């Protein structure tokens, strides 16, 4: 059977994609950010996951105000890097895993989560930046990816509790897939950031770290953090962190932290990165 073996949390700041594409990852500004991902790059080479369920948000690239799906799953065979205004990033196409994706879609919908199914989409920095952070610059990505898009751009966005619950349902879906597959789930976005308005540039190191603490161990208190707390404490775009709760929910009752990294500043935000593994509680 397929198994979720680990969860990864990571910011997806578009400037990091620029740093990779322009060979600046070792300079004074970007060096300390990228160094925090070196452990994970080596670990991923050992882990060799078959598939990553990559929870991310589209930033008005594939979707806009014409259509705003709350939860959407990519069931296609491949996805191209999107043109976000400066041409597509020079990164490989993302290969999907259509069989597992359709299985998860069916399982979630019969489990009463109303998914939108996507067969064609270009993927923006929300997906390609975490790929670059974890895998560097290969000619071909070493994993298949199931894009799992969450609306965190236009209110009403899903609650933390709903995100955690859909993570639990993703775990049930993966474990009912008969093929032996090593599956990881990544939650991306965050940490504290606000890109516009009088509070633009807001950072909250203490709150971000409390949030990461809350994903380690057996507490599920983070699922009850209300939207207003993300907004007040972490700025308008801090709500992206609810996507990490899908990853956490999919890891089961208890987690162990394998690696952790936090750095301020990066562009307008804080960089947060966490590698978790499920603790089998029997
Ligand atoms: C920035 C961060 C994001 O998460 C994003 O989607 C766009 C921009 C930033 O800090 O510049
Ligand atoms: Fe974002």
């Amino acid at each position: 059977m397929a198994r979720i073996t680990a969860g990864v949390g990571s910011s997806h700041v578009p400037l990091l994609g620029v740093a990779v594409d322009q060979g600046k990852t070792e300079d004074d500004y970007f060096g300390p950010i990228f160094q925090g991902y070196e452990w994970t790059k080596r670990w991923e080479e050992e882990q060799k996951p078959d598939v990553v369920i990559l929870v991310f948000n589209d930033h008005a690239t594939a979707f806009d105000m014409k259509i705003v799906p709350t939860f959407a799953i990519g069931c296609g065979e491949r996805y191209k890097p999107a043109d976000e205004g400066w041409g597509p990033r020079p990164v490989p196409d993302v290969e999907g895993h259509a069989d597992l994706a359709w299985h998860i879609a069916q399982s979630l919908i019969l489990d009463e989560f109303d998914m939108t199914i996507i067969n064609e989409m270009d993927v923006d920095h929300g997906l390609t930046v975490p790929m670059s952070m974890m895998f560097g610059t290969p000619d071909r990505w070493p994993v298949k990816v199931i894009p799992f898009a969450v609306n965190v751009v236009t209110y009403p966005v899903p609650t933390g509790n709903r995100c955690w619950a859909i993570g639990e349902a993703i775990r049930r879906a993966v474990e009912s897939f008969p093929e032996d597959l090593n599956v990881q789930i990544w939650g991306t976005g965050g940490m504290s950031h606000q890109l516009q308005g009088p509070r633009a540039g807001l950072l909250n190191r203490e709150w971000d770290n409390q949030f990461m603490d809350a994903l380690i161990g057996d507490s599920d208190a983070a699922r009850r953090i209300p939207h207003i707390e993300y907004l007040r404490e972490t700025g308008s775009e801090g709500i992206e962190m609810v996507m990490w709760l899908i990853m956490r929910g999919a890891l089961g009752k208890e987690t162990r932290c394998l690696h952790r990294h936090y750095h301020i500043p990066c562009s307008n935000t804080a960089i947060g990165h966490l590698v978790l593994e499920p603790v089998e509680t029997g």
Side-chain angles (χ1 to χ4, degrees), residues 5-176:
T5 57
V8 174
S10 178
S11 307
H12 62 213
V13 181
L15 187 61
L16 296 179
V18 177
V20 171
D21 300 343
Q22 298 184 357
K24 294 184 177 159
T25 59
E26 292 175 8
D27 74 12
D28 289 349
Y29 184 82
F30 291 109
I33 297 168
F34 282 87
Q35 272 158 26
Y37 285 81
E38 282 304 312
W39 183 92
T40 315
K41 277 194 193 155
R42 288 194 300 274
W43 172 81
E44 288 288 12
E45 277 171 24
E46 289 160 18
Q47 295 291 306
K48 298 194 187 354
D50 300 299
V51 187
V52 169
I53 301 170
L54 205 158
V55 182
F56 77 113
N57 69 291
D58 178 80
H59 300 74
T61 306
F63 313 134
D64 55 23
M65 288 309 287
K66 281 191 262 182
I67 176 162
V68 186
T70 302
F71 294 117
I73 183 165
C75 294
E77 298 287 351
R78 55 197 320 111
Y79 310 91
K80 290 200 169 301
D83 183 348
E84 298 182 62
W86 296 270
R89 288 191 60 210
V91 293
D93 286 4
V94 173
E95 220 183 308
H97 194 305
D99 285 351
L100 179 59
W102 277 105
H103 171 84
I104 294 172
Q106 165 159 323
S107 179
L108 290 178
I109 290 167
L110 298 182
D111 217 352
E112 304 181 344
F113 291 90
D114 305 318
M115 298 301 300
T116 297
I117 289 164
I118 311 169
N119 289 310
E120 270 185 44
M121 130 175 99
D122 290 349
V123 286
D124 75 10
H125 67 270
L127 189 144
T128 62
V129 166
M131 292 292 282
S132 296
M133 301 310 285
M134 256 52 85
F135 297 127
T137 55
D139 292 337
R140 192 177 158 189
W141 296 123
V143 284
K144 296 190 171 175
V145 174
I146 298 179
F148 194 101
V150 182
N151 168 40
V152 288
V153 170
T154 304
Y155 281 86
V157 306
T159 62
N161 188 49
R162 189 67 173 160
C163 288
W164 192 295
I166 208 167
E168 292 171 327
I170 290 171
R171 181 184 176 90
R172 291 191 288 274
V174 169
E175 291 185 350
S176 63

Side-chain angles (χ1 to χ4, degrees), residues 12-14 59 125 193 195 240 266-269:
H12 62 213
V13 181
H59 300 74
H125 67 270
H193 64 306
L195 301 180
E240 288 186 342
C266 176
S267 185
N268 300 293
T269 83

Side-chain angles (χ1 to χ4, degrees), residues 142 182 219:
N182 176 353
S219 166

